[in-house]
Amino acid sequence: MKWISADFPNLSSKIKKRICAGTSTRLDGVSKAPFNGLNVATHVGDDLSSVMANRALLREELNFPSEPYWLNQTHTNTVVELPYEYRPYLEADASYTFLTKTLCAVMTADCLPLLLVDNTGTQVAAIHAGWRGLANGIIAKTLAKFTAQAQDLHVYMGPAIGQSAFEVGQDVFDYFQQLNPIFSRCFESKKIPQKYSANIYEIAKIQLELLGVKFISGGEHCTFEQNDQFYSYRRDGQTGRMVSIIWID
């Protein structure tokens, strides 16, 4: 099973040993077409027993200390602290914790997963950042939950859709322009009128930098183009989900 480990290059080696983080791919797993592989989402129409088998495979292969907290993600800017009393349909798009062996998790298939840890390795968070979440301040709301200052945070950008494949309309371009003209550099006009190619990695990076975050890594994948490794909703429509997870060991 392939697991993409999150890289926090500026985090001290001592703290790195305490932090476990990364993103799954679609490789291996037992799900059948059109979910071929390691789908971990129960809400996409896949056979439930296959999803549970895939989640069990992840637990066993990566030696999870507990079950991840699976969120019902709906492109909100809601952030929850873990642990929470179990509710199968808790609506949120980010989670954070100060506790060890408590797994923050977000599922994606084109949206941007962000994994965060502070300098001391005492708090971690996971964010599901689609363009709506980014537009509505999901990053700022999550950073506000940290006791550490923004300049002491480390952020890994997991696999998301690349700019060449991410087409958005005039409304999205206008919204980010109204937030801050600096976001204009994240959009390229297409030959089709009022259509743009959006760079979701750059949007998130600008937001993080404006908030004071200095240590940002990742952002080198494209879920749309790398169809052998990743699920992509834009490419396939009905498809599975990867999961990005972070915890303090």
Side-chain angles (χ1 to χ4, degrees):
M1 184 194 72
K2 183 174 181 181
W3 174 257
I4 300 172
S5 295
D7 181 26
F8 301 104
N10 298 106
L11 197 63
S12 73
S13 56
K14 179 181 177 181
I15 302 303
K16 279 184 182 181
K17 293 177 181 178
R18 300 188 60 209
I19 304 302
C20 302
T23 302
S24 66
T25 68
R26 69 181 303 167
L27 299 176
D28 299 317
V30 301
S31 290
K32 308 298 183 185
F35 311 101
N36 307 62
L38 194 72
N39 169 47
V40 297
T42 60
H43 67 285
V44 296
D46 194 2
D47 177 70
L48 184 59
S49 63
S50 295
V51 177
M52 293 299 104
N54 290 334
R55 290 183 177 185
L57 177 62
L58 270 176
R59 285 197 303 271
E60 293 164 9
E61 289 284 327
L62 299 173
N63 196 27
F64 289 170
S66 61
E67 181 70 15
Y69 282 84
W70 304 95
L71 304 176
N72 181 34
Q73 301 167 190
T74 55
H75 300 277
T76 66
N77 62 1
T78 302
V79 185
V80 295
E81 183 175 3
L82 304 182
Y84 61 81
E85 183 180 352
Y86 178 71
R87 284 173 282 166
Y89 299 106
L90 178 69
E91 189 171 297
D93 284 85
S95 63
Y96 69 97
T97 188
F98 295 91
L99 302 181
T100 62
K101 306 185 187 306
T102 304
L103 280 60
C104 299
V106 290
M107 293 179 288
T108 57
D110 284 335
C111 289
L112 174 61
L114 299 170
L115 301 176
L116 297 77
V117 58
D118 68 338
N119 260 342
T120 60
T122 56
Q123 185 178 0
V124 294
I127 303 174
H128 164 246
W131 75 260
R132 290 180 181 83
L134 291 172
N136 291 318
I138 185 71
I139 291 179
K141 286 197 68 175
T142 305
L143 263 61
K145 304 296 184 181
F146 276 80
T147 56
Q149 297 298 307
Q151 62 265 27
D152 295 324
L153 301 182
H154 300 254
V155 181
Y156 173 77
M157 301 191 294
I161 191 168
Q163 182 167 9
S164 62
F166 190 23
E167 181 182 285
V168 299
Q170 189 70 42
D171 58 331
V172 178
F173 175 81
D174 290 344
Y175 195 99
F176 280 97
Q177 278 286 96
Q178 290 167 11
L179 285 177
N180 191 323
I182 195 174
F183 289 113
S184 62
R185 77 187 197 205
C186 304
F187 297 85
E188 291 183 1
S189 297
K190 304 194 72 171
K191 294 180 180 179
I192 304 170
Q194 298 186 326
K195 294 293 183 182
Y196 299 83
S197 295
N199 189 333
I200 197 168
Y201 287 121
E202 188 66 14
I203 292 172
K205 186 176 181 181
I206 289 173
Q207 290 191 343
L208 287 163
E209 290 175 343
L210 289 174
L211 289 164
V213 178
K214 298 178 180 179
F215 306 122
I216 306 168
S217 59
E220 65 270 20
H221 296 287
C222 176
T223 49
F224 187 99
E225 294 182 354
Q226 295 174 271
N227 63 304
D228 58 328
Q229 291 192 64
F230 303 116
Y231 294 113
S232 169
Y233 181 79
R234 288 241 173 177
R235 184 187 62 232
D236 299 325
Q238 187 178 28
T239 191
R241 299 291 187 272
M242 290 83 67
V243 62
S244 295
I245 299 176
I246 187 167
W247 76 93
I248 306 166
D249 202 19

